[in-house]
Amino acid sequence: HKYSNSFNTSKTNDLNINRIGFLLSRGYKNAVERNKSKRLSRESYRQLKAHLNTGYDILFLVYPGNSSFLSRCEQLKSLCKKAGLLKE
């Protein structure tokens, strides 16, 4: 069984907002799974964005696996923390 995994990269921009993108790997079986994963990722980001510093372009690479909303939230939070994007 594969487990969901995510990776992110960020770069500063000269804006007062963050711009985000989600790239999904080719491992998804069909469009339904890809779209569900995108929806989970976007909603997870919405829950987290108030706690993030602004002024970044953020790209998340998402791999397929069994992923719930809570686990996706934890993954994004952990990645943003490692990247130094969380407000102190």
Side-chain angles (χ1 to χ4, degrees):
H1 240 51
K2 275 187 165 180
Y3 294 97
S4 274
N5 212 350
S6 301
F7 171 78
N8 84 324
T9 184
S10 59
K11 181 181 175 184
T12 58
N13 64 32
D14 294 326
L15 305 173
N16 292 330
I17 60 169
N18 289 332
R19 296 185 292 189
I20 63 162
F22 294 98
L23 294 176
L24 281 73
S25 72
R26 289 184 173 209
Y28 288 92
K29 293 179 185 173
N30 55 43
V32 173
E33 287 186 9
R34 271 193 315 275
N35 292 336
K36 181 180 179 183
S37 185
K38 281 187 213 177
R39 285 193 306 272
L40 279 173
S41 298
R42 283 194 301 260
E43 186 58 30
S44 298
Y45 177 79
R46 279 190 206 104
Q47 299 290 322
L48 184 63
K49 73 179 182 179
H51 305 284
L52 297 177
N53 295 319
T54 57
Y56 293 92
D57 293 334
I58 306 168
L59 183 62
F60 294 96
L61 178 58
V62 182
Y63 295 97
N66 295 332
S67 180
S68 68
F69 177 70
L70 291 175
S71 67
R72 184 64 52 91
C73 286
E74 288 301 316
Q75 289 171 356
L76 293 186
K77 185 176 181 178
S78 172
L79 290 169
C80 289
K81 184 177 182 178
K82 286 180 186 177
L85 299 175
L86 286 178
K87 290 180 182 175
E88 304 247 345

